[in-house]
Amino acid sequence: MRIVILGSAAGGGLPQWNCRCSNCTLARSEPDRVRPRTQSSIAVSADGSDWLLINASPDIRQQFFDNPQMHPREGLRHSPIRSVLLTNGDVDHVAGLLTLREGQPYTLYATRGILDSVNSNRVFDVMAEGVVARQAVAMDQRFEPLPGLSVTLFAVPGKVPLWLEDETMEIGAETETTVGALIEANGRRLAYIPGCARVTNGLRDRIAGVDALLFDGTVLYDDDMIRAGVGTKTGWRMGHVPMRGENGSIDALAGTAIGRRVFVHINNTNPVLVEGSPERADVEAAGWTVAHDGLSLAL
Ligand code: MLT
Ligand code: MN
Ligand code: ZN
């Protein structure tokens, strides 16, 4: 199985267009200290030829340009992307669908709830019915978005997308609005969980024994955004478990058998983004890789 991390940042990317936090400032002035990163997306392949895109970021056009495996390679119009899967309906995971609209056939997979939130917004009609097939997938049911590559979705603690929040919304609920994906090919297993509010026993059981885990690295501590001075929201309020601190994912997953541990969906305020920082050294010493754009894994 081949995996390319097309975008390793959370919503907003790094630098974020309107942000002057220290990381965003360094990403502009000293890109060797804080590498710029695009928004959250990966591509997975069983054979290195046909690819499943998981999450379609607003930066998708640049991501495809930067990664030659994603270039068209036959005839006048072609894409190696055969299927697209969504793990939630957040803007950073669905806005790129608007770029994938030029009459190129593929199948869009998501839970019923995520598909409904996309389909109910008429701007997504630009993915013409009859060209882009929508396939609702049930939780815990294995399906094959590409020959030789199977996926099983499972609910993780999360919340509805920011743009669907209302006074009834619940944080940490395990519903089909936020899912993880277990991906299998050639006897190897990958777990992809870019958004997760809490590490539960069920989650640990689900991912035990995987060859690689790509996991929610939005915040280092629950109050990263407050510390950075850019807002009042905690990681929990955004539906993201911190790496460190109370209920931190690094300790919560320390006893679980996982081949390779990689943080993705990293918010631009996260101190681990600074090359050579003590925070980066700490998470690496705990066995985790902080993803950058273009990082690829072969399992
Ligand atoms: C998130 O991961 O919390 C969302 O992408 C936030 C957003 O939609 O901007
Ligand atoms: Mn996000
Ligand atoms: Zn910033």
Side-chain angles (χ1 to χ4, degrees), residues 19 21 24 268:
C19 191
C21 78
C24 287
N268 54 66

Side-chain angles (χ1 to χ4, degrees), residues 9-11 40 88 90-93 194 218 240 265:
S40 175
N88 65 28
D90 285 354
V91 168
D92 57 347
H93 286 166
T218 310
H240 297 293
H265 193 277

Side-chain angles (χ1 to χ4, degrees), residues 155-170:
V156 300
K159 67 165 184 64
V160 295
L162 182 58
W163 57 276
L164 287 174
E165 285 187 6
D166 61 21
E167 52 294 331
T168 68
M169 77 128 187
E170 190 187 341

Side-chain angles (χ1 to χ4, degrees), residues 24-271:
C24 287
T25 303
L26 280 171
R28 294 186 188 96
S29 63
E30 293 184 59
D32 292 341
R33 281 190 64 205
V34 173
R35 268 170 100 141
R37 286 165 166 85
T38 63
Q39 296 168 79
S40 175
S41 176
I42 69 168
V44 186
S45 177
D47 59 7
S49 174
D50 291 340
W51 293 81
L52 165 68
L53 181 77
I54 314 187
N55 295 320
S57 115
D59 302 318
I60 195 167
R61 185 187 159 282
Q62 188 65 37
Q63 293 169 341
F64 284 0
F65 180 72
D66 289 343
N67 290 276
Q69 307 97 309
M70 307 305 148
H71 294 180
R73 54 165 195 264
E74 292 163 18
L76 256 183
R77 292 280 170 89
H78 170 263
S79 173
I81 302 292
R82 298 271 306 275
S83 311
V84 178
L85 167 67
L86 305 174
T87 62
N88 65 28
D90 285 354
V91 168
D92 57 347
H93 286 166
V94 304
L97 293 173
L98 299 177
T99 300
L100 305 182
R101 71 180 182 283
E102 320 285 0
Q104 184 67 38
Y106 61 92
T107 304
L108 176 63
Y109 295 89
T111 65
R112 182 79 264 161
I114 296 171
L115 265 189
D116 283 349
S117 55
V118 168
N119 287 336
S120 65
N121 189 325
R122 284 205 50 202
V123 72
F124 290 104
D125 290 357
V126 295
M127 299 181 293
E129 295 273 0
V131 178
V132 178
R134 273 78 157 169
Q135 181 71 55
V137 284
M139 226 80 79
D140 302 308
Q141 260 179 40
R142 185 193 288 236
F143 62 101
E144 274 207 10
L146 294 177
L149 188 133
S150 73
V151 177
T152 309
L153 301 183
F154 53 95
V156 300
K159 67 165 184 64
V160 295
L162 182 58
W163 57 276
L164 287 174
E165 285 187 6
D166 61 21
E167 52 294 331
T168 68
M169 77 128 187
E170 190 187 341
I171 302 168
E174 294 183 39
T175 72
E176 59 173 41
T177 57
T178 310
V179 301
L182 196 60
I183 301 146
E184 306 185 54
N186 309 314
R188 312 291 282 178
R189 296 199 304 149
L190 163 74
Y192 174 58
I193 309 170
C196 180
R198 196 186 324 110
V199 176
T200 62
N201 287 333
L203 179 67
R204 278 187 285 259
D205 291 346
R206 181 74 73 164
I207 64 179
V210 293
D211 298 288
L213 167 67
L214 307 185
F215 191 75
D216 185 340
T218 310
V219 291
L220 174 61
Y221 289 105
D222 193 48
D223 61 354
D224 272 9
M225 305 252 296
I226 299 159
R227 290 182 199 218
V230 297
T232 57
K233 274 192 179 173
T234 60
W236 171 256
R237 176 63 187 78
M238 297 187 293
H240 297 293
V241 63
M243 298 170 171
R244 285 288 192 203
E246 203 181 338
N247 303 317
S249 59
I250 291 177
D251 287 343
L253 292 169
T256 304
I258 296 165
R260 179 119 191 242
R261 296 159 197 263
V262 181
F263 281 122
V264 294
H265 193 277
I266 308 160
N267 196 52
N268 54 66
T269 47
N270 192 323

